[in-house]
Amino acid sequence: MRLVRGAWKILVGIKDALVLAAMLLFFGLLFAGLAARPNPTTIKDGALVLALNGQIVEQATEADPFAALSGSRAPLREYQLRDVVRVLDKAKDDDRVKVVVLDLDRFAGGYPAALTQVGEAIRRVRDARKPVLAYATAYTDSGYRLAANASEIWMNPMGGTLFAGPGGSQLYYKGLIDRLGVNAHVYRVGKYKSFIEPYTRADQSPEAKEAAQALQSVIFAQWKDQIARARPKAQLAAFLTTPDTLIMGAGGDIAKANLQAGIVDKLAERIDFDKHVGEIAGTDTRKIAGNFNTIKYDTYLKANPLPRSGDAIGVLTVAGEIVDGKANAGTAGGDTIVQALLDGLAKKKLKALVVRVDSPGGSALASEKIRRAVLEAKAQKLPVVISMGSVAASGGYWVATAGDRIFAEPTTITGSIGIFGLIPTFENTLAKIGVTTDGVKSTPLSGQPDVLGGTNAETDRVLQSAIEHGYAQFIARVASARKMTPTRVNEIAQGRVWDGGTARQLGLVDQFGNLSDAIAYAAKRAGLDPAKVQTVYLEKDPGWAAQLAAQFRGGDDDEDSGGDVFSRIGADRKAILARAIGDMQRLTRSSSIQARCLECAGMGPVATPSAGDIRLVDLIIAKFTW
């Protein structure tokens, strides 16, 4: 008994220690979160630092409150487009901000339309005669799109910038699927609906290639035009067509070639750049050399909240993949978005509604649920305006058909009007190991679709017919919303993706403009002064745990270098390998009828893979490089 009592005391002691540790951690996080809340009066003169260590997105995903405790590397941070633009516009007229610093060393990019808006905001700061200084070891295409608008572009002399332009290789899994014996049953409408091609082909179809080339040429032309307008003296053309000649002429020194071509203004180590910033923003003589008075992005953002007075214009955000059911921010869960909208309408305080769509699509069922909920706003006699973000394609455009007027950017990726369904079956896989299926069926659809024994002809015809019916519904909704005939819509649909400029010419978009333009238009339609309204975002606030976790996720204090050209290339290839793993997981995941766009992903940043996929890639790399 003495031994048992001793063991019990040890267990109780361990339990008490764990409880104490958990309480200390909880209150430590709580204190950190409360301490991080800024007071506008505490912001002192200095340099506003935008260390964009991640991607610019429409809506940031909710931080995992347990990621910091798992020991795994935190995912790249996501910066909301509306927040970045607001910070820059506030800094433009704030005398406390002596200079704006763009730290793009670890910038992971964003879609063209989002980068255009941020670039324009940077230019507004520069036009207000406030210096904007950019620094990176090596600029990506996306990073340079922002840096070009700065007053000065600095780069590490050991770095170097190469421009790739849009495009590249797409992964195709047909050969692997055949080897594994997986039978991918595809049901689709639209000759340009290419989302399922990686699972059914070993190469890109002529139709998909035609659409991709047209889209890429427009996006690339817009990128070159923006760079040329921001830095007219930069010798960009030669760096795009004959980079090898220029770099070989500089003895292989990429940074030197960049400087000679006017791509960058100065080559300097980080400490020299910081000293230059200190000359403008001021320094603390008690600290080490290279410091300067700093205003952190998060602090400045929280010190400049959205207005809370005036008539309310509701903004419903549909961002990320559209999925059935509920989802956290960054993914458009149909039920979550519908509930947020209905809750907002129930308060009877909204004077108009703007639906901000930034989605490549997803579930057709969830898209229809969201569209139907938006019609409830119309039933309350509210003006409904659609604001397309970087991408509003497939299911995203399905939702857009509910609006009275559609705003888009010239670089918005839209269209992709088409749907598909994909069901993998594994009868051939099982046969490879001697496993077969059999049974008694009372009807042709008994046990169908049979993922173990395969589908039959009757099931294939039923599912294909359902897809065709869904496509007809999509066409009808677009025709009604855009005042076109179904025949005309079918001609410009077929799953083809369009840039915003072409979409406007085709009648799929009404006019160019960003979210602010759409809000102003909605206010005028409601008989309000746009300067006197407040924006109310109809979305769930993250929980306290997620807010605290965000304090520890890839913030302004993360000073890891983005690396040179080779490290940038290596990081992108690793992300692509992780994406391949995610694609194979999606193949085996049951899903509903889909209205989703493949080309959309290729126009944005390399998608941030899940932590699980990254860990698997790390294991694979370790296995073959040990």
Side-chain angles (χ1 to χ4, degrees):
M1 289 295 294
R2 185 178 299 174
L3 179 62
V4 173
R5 284 196 296 270
W8 177 252
K9 289 181 179 180
I10 293 174
L11 291 175
V12 171
I14 293 174
K15 182 263 294 182
D16 291 342
L18 290 174
V19 170
L20 179 60
M23 291 179 65
L24 289 173
L25 176 62
F26 169 78
F27 285 110
L29 291 173
L30 183 61
F31 175 77
L34 293 174
R37 294 181 179 178
N39 184 329
T41 60
T42 64
I43 295 178
K44 299 180 180 179
D45 293 1
L48 175 62
V49 178
L50 272 67
L52 299 177
N53 300 332
Q55 298 177 359
I56 294 176
V57 299
E58 186 64 37
Q59 185 182 61
T61 56
E62 190 169 303
D64 182 358
F66 300 103
L69 304 178
S70 65
S72 61
R73 182 179 177 86
L76 285 175
R77 180 172 174 178
E78 295 175 336
Y79 297 81
Q80 291 193 144
L81 171 62
R82 66 192 190 223
D83 293 339
V84 176
V85 171
R86 185 166 88 249
V87 162
L88 288 166
D89 283 337
K90 289 291 184 180
K92 173 173 63 71
D93 301 315
D94 190 340
D95 292 336
R96 295 171 298 181
V97 177
K98 303 303 181 183
V99 55
V100 173
V101 173
L102 299 176
D103 186 343
L104 300 171
D105 231 355
R106 298 185 63 228
F107 182 52
Y111 275 99
L115 298 178
T116 296
Q117 288 190 50
V118 176
E120 291 172 349
I122 294 170
R123 186 71 193 198
R124 288 194 290 272
V125 177
R126 178 180 169 183
D127 289 345
R129 300 189 181 281
K130 185 164 291 187
V132 181
L133 308 180
Y135 188 90
T137 304
Y139 292 96
T140 61
D141 291 23
S142 296
Y144 195 76
R145 193 178 198 135
L146 302 186
N149 293 280
S151 313
E152 298 177 8
I153 302 178
W154 292 55
M155 190 172 67
N156 192 297
M158 294 293 290
T161 294
L162 298 175
F163 301 114
S169 297
Q170 167 68 44
L171 297 169
Y172 289 83
Y173 310 114
K174 175 62 174 172
L176 174 61
I177 289 173
D178 289 344
R179 287 196 176 193
L180 296 175
V182 178
N183 191 355
H185 300 266
V186 174
Y187 314 93
R188 72 166 183 172
V189 180
K191 65 180 182 179
Y192 294 101
K193 199 64 185 173
S194 58
F195 191 90
I196 44 76
E197 287 190 356
Y199 307 110
T200 61
R201 295 179 59 95
D203 59 358
Q204 194 173 34
S205 70
E207 294 83 4
K209 186 165 291 188
E210 173 193 346
Q213 287 175 337
L215 180 63
Q216 288 175 11
S217 64
V218 172
I219 296 296
F220 195 32
Q222 291 169 339
W223 180 88
K224 290 187 288 187
D225 179 64
Q226 289 179 12
I227 302 298
R229 284 189 284 110
R231 292 186 68 83
K233 295 182 179 180
Q235 301 170 29
L236 187 65
F239 246 96
L240 293 174
T241 55
T242 58
D244 52 336
T245 301
L246 293 178
I247 293 168
M248 290 174 63
D253 189 334
I254 302 176
K256 180 180 178 182
N258 291 154
L259 183 64
Q260 291 174 341
I263 302 297
V264 299
D265 296 307
K266 296 183 180 180
L267 301 179
E269 296 288 344
R270 167 79 68 168
I271 189 172
D272 297 318
F273 174 78
D274 290 346
K275 287 180 179 179
H276 179 65
V277 175
E279 293 172 357
I280 304 173
T283 62
D284 187 340
T285 56
R286 296 169 297 177
K287 296 183 179 180
I288 61 174
N291 80 85
F292 55 84
N293 297 334
T294 300
I295 304 172
K296 294 184 178 181
Y297 169 83
D298 289 326
T299 301
Y300 197 74
L301 174 64
K302 292 177 182 178
N304 290 279
L306 289 168
R308 293 291 180 231
S309 62
D311 291 310
I313 305 295
V315 176
L316 180 72
T317 303
V318 182
E321 179 184 357
I322 300 175
V323 300
D324 297 317
K326 298 180 179 180
N328 289 328
T331 299
D335 291 347
T336 301
I337 291 175
V338 168
Q339 190 61 51
L341 175 56
L342 296 181
D343 288 345
L345 294 175
K347 296 176 182 178
K348 304 292 185 180
K349 293 183 178 180
L350 300 181
K351 302 301 182 181
L353 177 68
V354 174
V355 182
R356 177 68 168 179
V357 182
D358 193 84
S359 171
S363 165
L365 176 62
S367 300
E368 174 60 14
K369 279 187 176 181
I370 297 171
R371 187 195 74 89
R372 184 64 186 81
V374 173
L375 294 180
E376 289 298 315
K378 283 189 173 182
Q380 291 189 12
K381 309 300 183 182
L382 297 182
V384 177
V385 179
I386 305 297
S387 172
M388 290 183 171
S390 296
V391 53
S394 289
Y397 195 84
W398 187 304
V399 172
T401 60
D404 300 318
R405 194 165 187 82
I406 297 178
F407 283 73
E409 302 278 0
T411 47
T412 295
I413 300 167
T414 187
S416 193
I417 301 169
I419 65 174
F420 68 91
L422 175 63
I423 297 177
T425 61
F426 303 93
E427 64 274 22
N428 297 330
T429 307
L430 296 175
K432 291 177 180 290
I433 57 175
V435 178
T436 56
T437 62
D438 197 6
V440 177
K441 301 174 177 62
S442 57
T443 73
L445 300 183
S446 294
Q448 291 290 326
D450 189 345
V451 297
L452 300 179
T455 62
N456 57 27
E458 292 86 352
T459 300
D460 288 339
R461 287 194 291 269
V462 168
L463 294 178
Q464 179 60 34
S465 178
I467 292 295
E468 292 173 0
H469 173 67
Y471 180 68
Q473 287 182 311
F474 202 165
I475 292 294
R477 281 158 176 63
V478 176
S480 176
R482 307 309 303 164
K483 304 297 187 293
M484 299 180 185
T485 65
T487 300
R488 173 56 181 160
V489 175
N490 186 51
E491 291 174 355
I492 61 178
Q494 295 294 323
R496 180 152 184 171
V497 180
W498 305 101
D499 63 275
T502 304
R504 184 183 180 189
Q505 294 174 0
L506 294 173
L508 296 175
V509 167
D510 291 303
Q511 68 185 80
F512 293 144
N514 56 29
L515 178 58
S516 297
D517 297 323
I519 293 173
Y521 179 85
K524 291 177 180 178
R525 284 286 306 273
L528 304 173
D529 181 352
K532 298 179 180 180
V533 300
Q534 63 166 310
T535 302
V536 177
Y537 286 92
L538 307 179
E539 55 193 25
K540 183 185 73 172
D541 292 329
W544 64 268
Q547 293 183 49
L548 290 177
Q551 301 291 334
F552 298 90
R553 182 180 69 174
D556 295 342
D557 295 328
D558 189 343
E559 295 183 355
D560 290 345
S561 171
D564 59 14
V565 172
F566 289 93
S567 63
R568 287 278 192 175
I569 293 172
D572 285 349
R573 298 316 98 185
K574 182 177 178 180
I576 289 173
L577 179 56
R579 187 178 70 191
I581 295 172
D583 286 344
M584 296 309 296
Q585 290 176 337
R586 280 186 284 275
L587 173 64
T588 57
R589 183 180 62 194
S590 60
S591 58
S592 59
I593 294 174
Q594 297 287 303
R596 196 182 306 185
C597 164
L598 175 68
E599 294 87 350
C600 299
M603 292 293 103
V606 177
T608 303
S610 69
D613 291 345
I614 282 291
R615 284 195 293 270
L616 183 54
V617 170
D618 287 337
L619 289 174
I620 294 173
I621 293 174
K623 178 69 175 176
F624 289 98
T625 59
W626 181 74

